[in-house]
Amino acid sequence: MGSSAERVWICMKGGAGSRCRGAGLRALPAAVVVVQNASVLELKKALRRHVQLRQARQGGVQHLSWKYIWRTYHLTYAGEKLADDRKKLREYGIRNRDEVSFIKKLRK
């Protein structure tokens, strides 16, 4: 997460499989697949799972501190922080092939 904003594409799967593409991500997945009625917490878990699988395949860093990541970065969509883990993605207006970003939190 070298820059102040890293992007993640979201694919929402319904009856059929979906594909999304993203570019320019280093440690983060280019695309994450979640169900259509997924919550923010489910998205976070899908991100974690995808990154761990990718790191295992590529032989990269074996352990990332997700506690540190969520303490240091906000997930945002269209400038709005995805702060409530229980809220559904569609309540934020997130649809298939939309993009969320990691934005570094400001110090208080």
Side-chain angles (χ1 to χ4, degrees):
M1 292 195 206
S3 69
S4 61
E6 297 285 349
R7 295 179 307 218
V8 178
W9 289 84
I10 299 190
C11 298
M12 298 195 180
K13 65 179 182 180
S18 300
R19 285 189 172 198
C20 289
R21 292 187 190 147
L25 302 174
R26 291 182 204 107
L28 295 174
V32 175
V33 179
V34 294
V35 294
Q36 287 186 348
N37 62 346
S39 67
V40 173
L41 182 60
E42 290 168 325
L43 172 61
K44 288 179 176 181
K45 286 180 181 179
L47 277 166
R48 181 179 182 166
R49 193 170 43 249
H50 197 90
V51 168
Q52 287 173 338
L53 287 171
R54 180 185 233 185
Q55 294 292 22
R57 282 187 218 125
Q58 295 177 349
V61 176
Q62 294 299 313
H63 176 75
L64 291 175
S65 173
W66 287 94
K67 186 176 183 178
Y68 170 80
I69 290 171
W70 299 130
R71 188 177 64 227
T72 308
Y73 295 89
H74 287 292
L75 267 181
T76 61
Y77 173 72
E80 183 179 359
K81 294 176 189 171
L82 308 181
D84 186 358
D85 283 347
R86 295 171 302 209
K87 204 168 179 182
K88 301 289 183 189
L89 296 176
R90 71 170 59 149
E91 292 177 41
Y92 285 106
I94 298 173
R95 299 184 191 285
N96 193 22
R97 298 183 184 210
D98 279 347
E99 182 181 289
V100 295
S101 300
F102 279 88
I103 302 293
K104 192 158 187 163
K105 293 181 180 179
L106 298 175
R107 292 185 182 178
K108 293 182 181 182

